[in-house]
Amino acid sequence: MNQIELNKRQETIVQIVKDNGPITGEQIAERLNLTRATLRPDLAILTMAGFLDARPRVGYFYTGKSGTQLLSENLLKIQVKDYQSIPVVVHENVSVYDAICTMFLEDVGTLFVVDRASHLVGVLSRKDLLRASIGKQELTTLPVNIIMTRMPNITVCEKDDLLVDVGLKLIEKQIDAVPIIRETTEGLEVVGRLTKTNITKAFVELASNENGP
Ligand code: ADP
């Protein structure tokens, strides 16, 4: 019910009531240089929508939304593109040794693997590389496409997806990151990276900014 968009005048009324309530319709009208009759529809909407409450002989007062309500409203506005990172990709034929170097140099925990046409074919996590390293294989000649998690088993997202939905995917699949992709007729283009760190950042910012992003 509180999802309605307020117009400028309605927002002003809410602000007046917030600052001065309880306040009568007459007094609100006076502050806006309008008549009580002009304001009647706005006050009716604001009361019905739950922004304001009215008591006879007392006037209007601000009910406010609960902090949790505001928080979840703001949370549901955040999209992947608001918090995405740059993807770090390696070619499917590079060696595990080179992928480990890339992971250190680029300071990321997940690498995305692409084919010659730059389309997504796999994912490499820290543990994938560790697992390969404790075997007897020669890391400088072992290509990453032997050890990577491959398509079609890759969890992806798009930049317009909601951040909370991606958070859910990370939890359900027990993974740390997903590639942000753009679907083309030839394959999946990697356009970004969304990790637990991005979500932590959004969480912290949301806590320090009541009005959201
Ligand atoms: P780590 O293995 O370092 O704990 P993750 O939890 O991200 O890191 O990875 C767990 C496993 O899931 C790895 O084998 C990895 O290849 C795979 N994985 C990671 N990200 C994805 C993804 N987006 N889609 C599918 N599999 C993934």
Side-chain angles (χ1 to χ4, degrees):
M1 195 146 192
N2 276 332
Q3 298 293 339
I4 66 160
E5 289 266 322
L6 298 186
N7 66 30
K8 198 116 200 95
R9 186 199 281 164
Q10 289 160 351
E11 275 178 9
T12 313
I13 295 172
V14 170
Q15 196 55 50
I16 291 174
V17 178
K18 242 187 210 175
D19 297 341
N20 307 283
I23 179 168
T24 66
E26 202 64 51
Q27 289 165 327
I28 299 170
E30 237 166 68
R31 282 172 182 267
L32 291 172
N33 279 327
L34 295 167
T35 66
R36 172 81 180 81
T38 317
L39 282 193
R40 196 159 289 134
D42 290 322
L43 289 168
I45 287 168
L46 291 172
T47 327
M48 277 192 305
F51 289 97
L52 305 182
D53 220 336
R55 287 213 194 109
R57 285 179 302 279
V58 178
Y60 292 91
F61 56 93
Y62 181 67
T63 52
K65 300 182 187 185
S66 70
T68 324
Q69 216 175 342
L70 280 172
L71 196 62
S72 60
E73 270 177 30
N74 285 330
L75 197 59
L76 291 171
K77 284 185 210 150
I78 305 177
Q79 292 176 310
V80 163
K81 61 168 170 273
D82 301 323
Y83 284 93
Q84 66 186 3
S85 296
I86 292 166
V88 178
V89 301
V90 292
H91 189 267
E92 61 181 332
N93 291 335
V94 304
S95 68
V96 169
Y97 183 92
D98 284 343
I100 293 172
C101 294
T102 304
M103 196 172 262
F104 276 103
L105 286 172
E106 302 286 344
D107 197 16
V108 292
T110 309
L111 299 174
F112 303 128
V113 185
V114 294
D115 63 14
R116 212 183 298 153
S118 289
H119 294 132
L120 179 68
V121 291
V123 171
L124 288 167
S125 75
R126 285 179 269 228
K127 258 182 262 161
D128 293 333
L129 296 173
L130 269 178
R131 195 181 304 115
S133 308
I134 58 174
K136 289 210 164 65
Q137 299 109 314
E138 174 52 50
L139 300 185
T140 52
T141 52
L142 180 67
V144 289
N145 63 14
I146 305 289
I147 66 149
M148 69 188 186
T149 300
R150 60 189 59 249
M151 285 294 274
N153 300 322
I154 301 186
T155 306
V156 300
C157 72
E158 293 183 66
K159 61 182 176 36
D160 294 333
D161 288 348
L162 289 183
L163 201 68
V164 279
D165 290 339
V166 179
L168 200 61
K169 281 184 184 177
L170 294 182
I171 292 169
E172 281 175 357
K173 307 279 182 181
Q174 302 190 349
I175 50 179
D176 292 345
V178 292
I180 307 166
I181 56 97
R182 190 166 53 209
E183 218 175 326
T184 70
T185 45
E186 292 96 51
L188 303 182
E189 240 173 67
V190 183
V191 296
R193 175 169 60 100
L194 205 288
T195 72
K196 286 180 174 175
T197 307
N198 298 126
I199 295 181
T200 306
K201 217 172 185 178
F203 172 80
V204 169
E205 277 186 28
L206 211 56
S208 61
N209 174 14
E210 272 207 352
N211 298 316

